[in-house]
Amino acid sequence: MIARSKPDPLKSHFAREISPSSVEKREHLRKNPKVDYPFWQQNWFIGLLFLMAMGFFGLALFLVLTFDFDQDSPSSAAASSPSSSSQNVEVTYGTVLKLMHEKTKFRLHSHDVPYGSGSGQQSVTGFPNVDDSNSYWIVRPTHDTSAKQGDTIPNGAIIRLQHMRTRKWLHSHLHASPISGNLEVSCFGGESESDTGDYWRLIIEGSGKTWKQDQRIRLQHVDTGGYLHSHDKKYSRIAGGQQEVCGVREKRADNVWLAAEGVYLPITESK
């Protein structure tokens, strides 16, 4: 008698599982995998473009706010540096520039750090690097004049220099400077706070009648008579590597300056 084998239930189970249709489905999934990625991964390029657009918008907004002058902005301005053609480029009221000390090539500089002696006001130094944003100054007229943005600046004019980053004014008084003991030069006041301690007389060296970028100039403080001055005496702490800026009452080779990098506003045409 031939014994019949009983069907194996385990084999029957796998036979049902591994049916032709299920094999086809697995093969399809293997060849065409579909992963449900998050939205940001599926659209990363669009997100990158959005972030770049926001960055450019923020930069444009910063520039607009930074160059917010008292009067209406002119339609055009000339960016200039000592390496570019500076001949006959007029320095007008509203111009944003750096002043370069002729002898040492350091730029007139300030930052929100007070002097540890003297007046304790915001310090002013000479800075060696060309590309520092704390070396920009806005050329302003005094309150008691009719001069306006875009006007040329004649020899002998009384001007003010406003530090672009902190909005304080280049200032001097009878306090002693930290290193040499000459007249201290500081930054003081603000947009609505300015006095005659911020007044500087423009003196053009040579025969120039109005201030141009390529001209050698001196700035004489009205209240004290001191000339804006610098030398190779450098700070060793806090402002290490930066040199002293002060005022001296004698004309010296160390108190000659040149208009350097900046945005030079065009002359406003009279109507």
Side-chain angles (χ1 to χ4, degrees):
M1 185 178 213
I2 301 173
R4 293 181 179 178
S5 59
K6 294 182 179 180
D8 188 340
L10 188 60
K11 291 182 179 179
S12 299
H13 171 74
F14 280 109
R16 286 194 302 271
E17 288 292 327
I18 311 176
S19 62
S21 60
S22 63
V23 171
E24 290 174 359
K25 288 179 180 179
R26 291 178 183 177
E27 185 65 18
H28 177 74
L29 289 174
R30 186 180 68 81
K31 293 181 179 179
N32 303 281
K34 183 179 180 182
V35 181
D36 189 15
Y37 290 108
F39 175 81
W40 68 271
Q41 289 185 351
Q42 297 180 41
N43 300 274
W44 66 271
F45 186 68
I46 296 176
L48 179 61
L49 289 177
F50 176 75
L51 290 176
M52 291 175 64
M54 290 300 293
F56 283 120
F57 175 77
L59 178 60
L61 183 62
F62 169 77
L63 291 175
V64 169
L65 294 177
T66 299
F67 292 96
D68 181 21
F69 299 114
D70 292 338
Q71 292 85 15
D72 295 334
S73 296
S75 58
S76 62
S80 185
S81 67
S83 59
S84 64
S85 179
S86 60
Q87 189 174 9
N88 295 325
V89 175
E90 290 277 358
V91 179
T92 59
Y93 288 115
T95 287
V96 181
L97 53 71
K98 294 182 179 181
L99 279 180
M100 181 179 70
H101 187 238
E102 184 185 48
K103 194 168 184 179
T104 64
K105 312 305 180 188
F106 278 45
R107 270 63 176 175
L108 184 69
H109 177 90
S110 187
H111 40 236
D112 193 13
V113 176
Y115 283 121
S117 61
S119 68
Q121 294 174 3
Q122 183 172 302
S123 57
V124 173
T125 62
F127 199 79
N129 297 339
V130 175
D131 57 353
D132 190 271
S133 61
N134 279 313
S135 300
Y136 280 111
W137 302 83
I138 308 170
V139 184
R140 303 284 199 192
T142 59
H143 289 303
D144 56 354
T145 179
S146 60
K148 59 186 182 301
Q149 180 173 296
D151 286 352
T152 58
I153 307 173
N155 185 31
I158 307 300
I159 67 170
R160 296 178 297 163
L161 291 177
Q162 186 178 29
H163 190 239
M164 194 181 78
R165 179 64 63 86
T166 63
R167 316 307 285 186
K168 295 184 178 181
W169 304 97
L170 186 69
H171 188 87
S172 190
H173 36 226
L174 298 177
H175 290 283
S177 61
I179 298 178
S180 63
N182 291 310
L183 299 169
E184 181 188 88
V185 173
S186 64
C187 268
F188 185 67
E191 293 284 3
S192 58
E193 184 183 1
S194 178
D195 58 28
T196 58
D198 310 326
Y199 288 9
W200 298 83
R201 178 176 287 103
L202 172 70
I203 300 173
I204 298 172
E205 295 294 304
S207 58
K209 294 182 179 180
T210 59
W211 189 7
K212 292 182 174 64
Q213 187 186 358
D214 60 342
Q215 291 171 328
R216 302 166 67 245
I217 67 160
R218 299 177 196 268
L219 291 176
Q220 185 179 28
H221 191 244
V222 172
D223 283 358
T224 64
Y227 293 95
L228 186 66
H229 181 90
S230 192
H231 40 215
D232 58 4
K233 295 180 173 62
K234 294 181 175 59
Y235 293 97
S236 58
R237 296 183 303 167
I238 303 179
Q242 298 176 41
Q243 65 190 27
E244 184 186 52
V245 170
C246 57
V248 296
R249 290 191 172 95
E250 305 85 25
K251 280 189 177 183
R252 300 181 189 175
D254 282 336
N255 45 50
V256 175
W257 301 79
L258 291 162
E261 303 80 13
V263 178
Y264 290 76
L265 301 188
I267 300 172
T268 301
E269 296 181 2
S270 58
K271 297 180 181 179

